[in-house]
């Protein structure tokens, strides 16, 4: 399963942890429109800055996590925002609890 590949990297897991409490772990998202319907969304640049890794690396990490269903994304202008996909994370937790 691609989801386990996405979780096999410490930085990707840390990003998921940070995104669990975005207000505590990231500054205000200045370019997110006030009427945006994407609560908890964090800009790629903010995630990149917190990790200290190259933006290209973070972008590839985020795309893999999105493909695995762990993240959702939405674009506003030239900025892309990511947040956790809580439904998938809940299903994964249930699967591990009941099947593994």
């Amino acid at each position: 399963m691609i989801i386990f590949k996405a979780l096999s990297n410490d930085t990707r897991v840390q990003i998921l942890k940070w995104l669990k409490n975005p207000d505590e772990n990231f500054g205000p998202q200045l370019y997110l429109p006030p009427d945006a319907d994407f609560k908890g969304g964090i800009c790629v640049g903010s995630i990149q800055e917190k990790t200290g890794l190259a933006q290209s690396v973070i972008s590839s990490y985020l795309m893999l996590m999105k493909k695995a269903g762990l993240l959702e994304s939405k674009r506003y202008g030239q900025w892309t925002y990511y947040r956790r996909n809580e439904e998938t994370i809940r299903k994964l937790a249930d699967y591990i609890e009941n099947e593994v």
Side-chain angles (χ1 to χ4, degrees):
M1 290 175 75
I2 190 171
I3 200 163
F4 291 113
K5 179 180 179 180
L7 294 172
S8 70
N9 176 282
D10 290 338
T11 302
R12 290 191 291 257
V13 171
Q14 187 62 55
I15 290 168
L16 276 178
K17 289 178 181 179
W18 289 332
L19 290 175
K20 187 173 185 176
N21 297 300
D23 293 338
E24 293 175 20
N25 293 301
F26 298 94
Q29 299 301 293
L30 302 175
Y31 301 105
L32 188 62
D35 61 341
D37 62 343
F38 204 64
K39 183 172 172 34
I42 301 296
C43 182
V44 174
S46 295
I47 298 169
Q48 181 270 324
E49 185 178 310
K50 190 159 181 81
T51 64
L53 298 174
Q55 187 162 346
S56 61
V57 171
I58 293 306
S59 291
S60 70
Y61 283 4
L62 296 172
M63 289 304 296
L64 175 63
M65 293 165 70
K66 182 180 176 186
K67 187 175 180 181
L70 295 167
L71 296 178
E72 303 172 309
S73 70
K74 196 158 193 177
R75 190 165 180 88
Y76 292 95
Q78 65 188 44
W79 293 277
T80 302
Y81 293 82
Y82 285 86
R83 68 179 179 194
R84 289 165 45 116
N85 183 338
E86 296 298 340
E87 181 180 346
T88 298
I89 293 170
R90 205 170 17 262
K91 286 179 181 178
L92 174 62
D94 289 344
Y95 171 78
I96 290 172
E97 182 178 338
N98 297 311
E99 303 294 330
V100 177

